[in-house]
Amino acid sequence: MCGIVAGVAKREVSEILLEGLRRLEYRGYDSAGMALIDNDRNLQLHKALGKVAELEAAQAQQPIIGCVGIAHTRWATHGEPSTANAHPHTASDRYAVVHNGIIENHTVLREDLERGGVSFLSQTDTEVIVHLIDQLRPSHTDLLSTVQSVVNKLDGAYALAVIDREEPQSLVVARQGSPLVLGVGIGEMFAGSDTLALRSVTDRFVYLEDGDIGCLSVGDYALYDRAGEPISRQVVHLEPPKTEDVLADYAHYMLKEIHEQPQRLMDTVQAENLTAEQFGPEAAEIFLKTRAIQIIACGTSYHAGLVAKYWIEEFAQIPCSVEVASEIRYRIPVIVDGTLIISISQSGETADTLAAINHLGSAGIARLAICNVDHSAIVRASELVYLTQAGPEIGVASTKAFTTQLAALLVLTAALMQTNNQQSRLKEFEEAIANLPLAVEAVIDLEPKIKQLANHFVTKHHALFLGRGVFYPISMEGALKLKEISYIHAEAYPAGELKHGPLALVDEDMPVVAVAPNNGLLEKLRSNLEEVRARGGELFVFADEESGFETGPGVHVLAMPHSHILTAPITYTVALQLLSYYVAVARGTDVDKPRNLAKSVTVE
Ligand code: G6P
């Protein structure tokens, strides 16, 4: 999704901006651009369709340099990916704007501006902003006050950075609904969509809140609220990231992140610490009063929520609903007294999840965030927090973030069991969690075998994933991984639903992947798989080594090391991640940056 980097310094900033864009590449984008004010007060611009490397090539060929500048990676919303639609957008060769978000009233604003004689060069919603600045600037004293007026005309979400060649020592930023953070340097100031973008220049950050507008200059910054009143925000000092986001010897970040999981799981959960206190000082009291749970999330994080529902209801005996954030935010669900709202998010910035938290939140309703990014918007909007320790996840397809979310949700289940007097199985949780990193290692050891299985999928166009019970959401996650990175259409079904429709699709061209741990539903699953075989479907069974499944004609069995049934959702996930990874590699797709997808979805 769109990424912003901006800077004002005594030194030349073009390389800092490009480095920031490189660090934001993981978010997903289709074009990039950069604008600087040079020493002669000219606005200089480069835009490129495709990768940041294209922008670097343009910069190498014809360098633009300056001490104040803005840069952007665009993920198309309004208008196709093209150089014309890439940001920055400019007006009068004087102003340049980069934007992340969606201006919902852009059509009306555009028509007004066109009636006034303005010509538009792009199809974007963003371009109205720069023309409004151009139009209103003469009746204001400076760029800051102009932007303050312009944002009052905008409906929707935005993070903005604006420069004006007549004010070459400053830049203006604004935030409403889309993330923006300031980086406080020594004698220089920066802004970025996330802290990762600015890690090479500072470790001190200011997280902007909705409605904030700021003016950054060399060595100083001033912040104002929506009403134009000066405000101050805390400067947060961040420790260096625990994991380096360098590829080392891995072919892709996704593979590196799959391999990191034993360590990240160990960092996220300690078997001897399955208590409410892990979620914050007020958690024990809130959990005691919790009568119902509503989980909200998107994408892979939603699948973690679906798994948690099985655990929370079975072990803690608390009713639990799970819904995708983009749906619940636009309806009026029944939130009974004593409901705990749980959001699950890797990035902590997903626009729909954030909006859903605010939509459901009301006096007396507690919110818990399970999140991988400290200080993110979702963390800041929640009373209780559990931080997963996945470290920065660069591959767009989530791997270690998902498994660490599941681990955190096991801790949550154990903590709720204790506050809800259901601790009889606590010991089992402790044992399963203590063994988890080794259990995941054992699955990673199967990598060569999984790679072989993957070859069978290379020429396929569709795949079906089946699971039962808690392994149904795991099969959903397996199907999502496959479609995200290999572009093979994949759907998951609870195996018991097979004969209610999807069985009609089964033939020799439809591989069927089954998740078959040795649990109480194994025999039921076995019958479902017979139904597939009887129709000529080719089966790929990820089965517990003790389950009795055997490879035979049309049946490929991957014998999974026996793992505790509580942590098997995590171990089977790792196997499915490796399957998708090797299918995608064999098909030659862009594994870490699959087409059309974004890592951090900051627009709805
Ligand atoms: C995007 C990412 C997914 C992620 C989802 C939710 O679609 O590509 O990997 O699961 O957003 O993101 P979150 O950061 O809230 O977990």
Side-chain angles (χ1 to χ4, degrees), residues 298-301 344-348 350 396 398 405 484 598-599 601:
C298 303
T300 288
S301 299
I344 307 174
S345 174
Q346 186 284 127
S347 61
T350 303
V396 164
S398 186
Q405 284 167 352
E484 277 181 311
K599 180 79 186 158
V601 181

Side-chain angles (χ1 to χ4, degrees), residues 227-247:
E229 294 301 320
I231 46 168
S232 66
R233 299 258 175 247
Q234 191 195 353
V235 179
V236 178
H237 179 269
L238 294 189
E239 296 300 324
K242 278 193 194 137
T243 53
E244 270 300 306
D245 61 351
V246 286
L247 257 184

Side-chain angles (χ1 to χ4, degrees), residues 11 15 19 23 63 167 179 182 218 231 341 350 447 474 510:
R11 55 176 164 159
E15 188 37 49
E19 169 65 16
R23 287 165 173 256
E167 294 179 39
L182 304 187
V218 171
I231 46 168
I341 307 286
T350 303
E447 191 170 345
I474 295 306
M510 173 70 89

Side-chain angles (χ1 to χ4, degrees), residues 499-539:
K499 55 174 93 59
H500 298 291
L503 198 52
L505 298 170
V506 170
D507 61 15
E508 61 281 5
D509 290 327
M510 173 70 89
V512 177
V513 179
V515 187
N518 207 354
N519 66 357
L521 290 166
L522 184 66
E523 291 315 315
K524 303 268 177 216
L525 180 69
R526 209 187 294 276
S527 313
N528 301 141
L529 299 188
E530 287 302 329
E531 293 157 9
V532 171
R533 271 312 293 143
R535 270 100 194 152
E538 195 173 9
L539 277 171

